[in-house]
Amino acid sequence: MSRLRRVTDTALIVVAAGSGTRLGRGVPKAFAEVAGAPILEHALRGLAAIDAALVVVVPAGLEADAAVIAARAGVTVSVVVGGETRADSVAAGLDAARDARWVLVHDAARALTPAAQVERVIAALRAGASAVVPVLPVVDTIRAVTPASLAEPDELGAIVDRAGLRAMQTPQGFDATVLRRAYAEADARVASTDDAQLVQALGLPVAAVRGDDLAFKITTPADADRAESLLGPAIRVGVGADVHAFGGDGPLRLAGLEWEGQGLEGHSDGDAVCHAIVDALLGAAGLGDIGGLVGVDDPQHAGAHGEVFVRAAVARLAEHGWRPVNVAVQVLGVRPRIGTRRDEAQGALSAMVGAPVSVSGTTTDGLGALGRGEGVQAIATALIRR
């Protein structure tokens, strides 16, 4: 049995062992792709900043897949095998979290749950609550049914006052001792899909915190479509351009390499190729431009090489769940002759980006400032993937 790998008093059990029959993807629901990544990966990315040891409960045979997904999401997890029912799966997670003081139980299918919601649950536990559930007001009109009306759906009962109703979400948080006792004393004859229900059966109160509309459960194809639209495209394209004039005091640096000849003007090293790549990457992810990333006149970046900015852009993308797929750059100018060191330039840039970078060069047939040899321009196109 895997044990927790993170030293903390709080464990967060992510239940990802459901079959996903209603989603209709032919794989367990947490492993079905939405917006270019498994639902479980989206869920774990949203939990990366939470101060809790993560336990992921998955169907038998998918332990290795879950570990790979967790690595892509940038989190360390303990992976355990679930059981036939949700209760069995939660029990398996509790066993792996046996040293925790507080335990949160979360459905992987609520993959867009904001971290702030998780923090509200944890804060309520630390404030003294023994059981906490995030809830939302019920907005639909609700009618009661009777056993007789189940067979005749047009014959419904009275409208239920929704002012007194709340829709429950996850993660649900518990004093670990209380939840273990609830499972130990649960009536095996009564099926429960809710951990708070088991705690209430002990006669203990359950506190409520504010839920979030984004914490909806991905259950049906329509839910998956909603999540897809909220997450946005899995693939994005960005374009960046930069131009620098000759006249700098330092060496000529371009595409991460040093060349013969007069340097380019600029607060940093004037590497137009690297700067264009930065803007293309950031633009693709909707994260602004190089000025917003490092500042255009920050003293600490005076004379800095373009590689510093490229690596900072790649790191910023990773923080927001994106990674580069490839970048293409075209260099416009009379000199230097890019073709003479193309392979070297592509190798240096690819190492910075962590993905293939292709470089081409062209002149402007003597037209304009570039054609007169007064400077260099670079235009970059970046493809990124969620």
Side-chain angles (χ1 to χ4, degrees):
M1 177 70 68
S2 299
R3 298 298 303 279
L4 299 180
R5 302 177 186 174
R6 186 172 180 178
V7 179
T8 177
D9 55 8
T10 305
L12 205 167
I13 301 170
V14 181
V15 182
S19 64
T21 303
R22 284 174 288 178
L23 188 59
R25 297 290 182 88
V27 295
K29 179 165 55 179
F31 295 83
E33 284 204 1
V34 171
I39 290 173
L40 177 59
E41 184 171 341
H42 293 300
L44 293 178
R45 285 189 187 280
L47 301 173
I50 302 300
D51 184 19
L54 296 177
V55 179
V56 179
V57 188
V58 302
L62 291 176
E63 301 94 315
D65 300 76
V68 170
I69 289 171
R72 283 203 307 266
V75 297
T76 299
V77 303
S78 201
V79 180
V80 298
V81 176
E84 292 185 5
T85 67
R86 185 182 185 281
D88 293 335
S89 295
V90 173
L94 277 172
D95 187 55
R98 64 174 66 98
D99 298 327
R101 178 178 177 183
W102 292 293
V103 174
L104 280 69
V105 183
H106 187 44
D107 293 330
R110 298 185 186 274
L112 278 69
T113 300
Q117 175 161 313
V118 185
E119 296 288 4
R120 286 195 291 272
V121 173
I122 294 175
L125 289 173
R126 294 183 183 276
S130 59
V132 185
V133 175
V135 300
L136 284 178
V138 174
V139 296
D140 292 325
T141 298
I142 305 296
R143 279 188 177 271
V145 297
T146 63
S149 66
L150 289 176
E152 299 290 341
D154 291 334
E155 297 181 9
L156 298 176
I159 291 178
V160 179
D161 183 5
R162 64 189 178 193
L165 300 177
R166 294 293 182 268
M168 299 175 66
Q169 297 182 324
T170 68
Q172 297 183 0
F174 306 91
D175 179 299
T177 302
V178 169
L179 186 58
R180 295 182 196 285
R181 178 187 162 199
Y183 267 88
E185 298 183 16
D187 189 338
R189 296 169 299 176
V190 179
S192 173
T193 59
D194 183 83
D195 303 297
Q197 179 183 357
L198 297 180
V199 171
Q200 283 184 305
L202 300 177
L204 297 175
V206 175
V209 296
R210 176 171 48 87
D212 195 290
D213 288 333
L214 288 175
F216 67 93
K217 192 172 184 179
I218 303 174
T219 301
T220 66
D223 297 326
D225 290 343
R226 179 185 176 191
E228 186 99 32
S229 66
L230 290 168
L231 289 166
I235 293 287
R236 290 185 180 177
V237 176
V239 177
D242 193 46
V243 60
H244 284 275
F246 288 111
D249 296 330
L252 173 58
R253 292 193 61 84
L254 201 65
L257 306 178
E258 189 170 318
W259 307 72
E260 292 185 3
Q262 185 180 29
L264 294 163
E265 292 182 348
H267 179 66
S268 60
D269 64 357
D271 190 332
V273 170
C274 286
H275 299 173
I277 289 174
V278 170
D279 278 352
L281 291 170
L282 295 176
L287 297 175
D289 53 30
I290 191 170
L293 178 69
V294 296
V296 295
D297 55 3
D298 189 332
Q300 70 172 321
H301 294 123
H305 290 177
E307 178 175 359
V308 173
F309 308 132
V310 173
R311 292 190 181 277
V314 172
R316 177 66 61 85
L317 260 64
E319 291 172 2
H320 289 79
W322 296 98
R323 65 177 184 271
V325 176
N326 72 282
V327 177
V329 187
Q330 186 166 61
V331 184
L332 292 79
V334 175
R335 63 181 179 87
R337 296 289 184 179
I338 294 296
T340 63
R341 301 176 68 187
R342 187 193 318 278
D343 291 343
E344 189 179 356
Q346 291 180 160
L349 294 170
S350 297
M352 298 177 203
V353 173
V357 177
S358 60
V359 181
S360 62
T362 185
T363 65
T364 60
D365 288 335
L367 297 176
L370 298 177
R372 294 191 297 270
E374 297 177 14
V376 175
Q377 182 179 21
I379 301 173
T381 303
L383 182 70
I384 64 173
R385 182 179 185 86
R386 190 179 294 281

